[in-house]
Structure formats: C-alpha cells, structure tokens
Amino acid sequence: MARFEIDFSRSRARTRTRSLMLLAAGAVAAAIGIWSLTVVDDERTTIRDQRTKLREASRPRSQGPAGEATMTPERQREVVQANRVAGRLNLRWSGLLDALESSANASVFLLAMTPDPQDGTVRLTGEAKTLPVILDYLQLLQQQPVLAEVRLESHETLAQDPQRPVRFVVAASWRVKP
C-alpha cells in the first residue's frame, strides 16, 4: 500500500484568502443594504411631505365675500364630475337587473349592457342562435315594466363563426325609479 502525505499548511493559506474574500463580500452586501435603507427612508420622507401638502391643499379655504368657499374652476369641474359619479352609484339598479334576469333565455347571451341614466336609455349587445330567438327575447323585454320602447337597432350573422350566431344590439328606454 502506498503512503499518503498530507500537508495542512498549504490549505490554510487558501482558506485564509477565501475567508477574506467572503468577509469583503459581506461588507459590500452590508453597505448596499444600508444604502438601500437610506434611499427608502428618503423616499418615505418625500411621500410624507407630499401627503402633508395634499392634506393642506384639500382643507377648506377662507370664506369669500358671499360666504362660499373659494374654488378654482378646475376644482369645480372635479366636484361636478364627482357628483355625477355619485349619482350613478346611488341609482337603483335592481329594477333593471331584475328585468334582464327575468327575461333571460338560454339561447341568448348578453355580451354588454350600456345604461345611460341621464338619458334614461339602455343598450344591450348580445348573441343568439337565430333571428327568431332574438325576436322572442325582444317580446320578453317589452313585457318588463322598467323598460319601454324596446327596439332592435341592428343585427348581423357572424359568418366567420362555424355556428353562425347572430349578434344584435337592442335599445330601450329605462324608467329609472328613485
């Protein structure tokens, strides 16, 4: 059997170099971490300052001569738009949705509903297997008390589809009940 000689002194030098390299890499990683924390802290301070400015800007301003809060034209437009959105959200949608649910037909697929509460109209876009199915669906819609003047605005057969469905658009007056 051959004799093995092991020299531990050579590997210590290599180990010491590797240890120093790992120590340097750890120091660099710690420096990057500390730098990242300072950047995040600066961003947080900037955001906090912006939030404070926004809060101050949104507070009511001094009263004008007529006793009303002074508002810029841009702010007035924003208030009007917000009131419109709030009005739409406060509508009672249940009547319209109930009418559509009770008129449901397994052969008719609604793709879109576009209500316009200000005009009191609603447009329905859908697909059906045939035109007679659509006409039956129109009769069901006409029987709903919240819908009036139900009419077929357009229809077309989708020739590119192998089943050849008919896409349609129905318009109706919507009786919005407060």
Side-chain angles (χ1 to χ4, degrees):
M1 201 176 222
R3 185 173 167 202
F4 288 103
E5 287 189 32
I6 299 174
D7 187 7
F8 290 105
S9 63
R10 285 188 189 172
S11 63
R12 285 186 183 172
R14 289 183 187 164
T15 305
R16 191 172 291 155
T17 304
R18 288 180 186 161
S19 298
L20 289 175
M21 288 175 59
L22 283 174
L23 178 64
V28 168
I32 291 172
I34 291 171
W35 176 78
S36 296
L37 283 174
T38 58
V39 168
V40 168
D41 189 46
D42 290 344
E43 289 177 0
R44 192 175 76 205
T45 303
T46 304
I47 290 171
R48 187 182 308 136
D49 293 343
Q50 289 175 348
R51 186 177 59 190
T52 302
K53 287 178 184 178
L54 285 173
R55 283 183 181 164
E56 290 173 3
S58 67
R59 288 185 183 148
R61 296 200 171 102
S62 63
Q63 300 288 324
E68 296 179 3
T70 56
M71 295 181 85
T72 63
E74 180 181 332
R75 180 71 124 195
Q76 288 175 347
R77 284 191 295 273
E78 290 174 358
V79 169
V80 168
Q81 182 65 21
N83 287 337
R84 281 189 197 140
V85 170
R88 288 181 186 156
L89 291 174
N90 288 332
L91 284 176
R92 297 192 182 187
W93 294 94
S94 60
L96 177 61
L97 297 176
D98 289 342
L100 294 177
E101 285 179 12
S102 64
S103 301
N105 184 332
S107 299
V108 175
F109 304 98
L110 286 182
L111 303 175
M113 175 180 72
T114 312
D116 188 352
Q118 291 178 336
D119 292 342
T121 60
V122 63
R123 290 174 54 114
L124 305 172
T125 304
E127 287 183 2
K129 294 180 180 180
T130 62
L131 185 58
V133 171
I134 296 172
L135 296 175
D136 291 341
Y137 182 65
L138 283 175
Q139 287 180 345
L140 289 173
L141 290 175
Q142 288 171 345
Q143 296 171 3
Q144 299 303 318
V146 295
L147 298 176
E149 301 173 20
V150 179
R151 62 198 173 281
L152 181 63
E153 281 193 342
S154 66
H155 69 283
E156 67 174 316
T157 302
L158 302 177
Q160 70 274 13
D161 192 325
Q163 296 178 352
R164 301 181 56 85
V166 180
R167 182 163 292 166
F168 64 90
V169 176
V170 172
S173 295
W174 173 26
R175 297 181 184 133
V176 181
K177 296 180 182 180

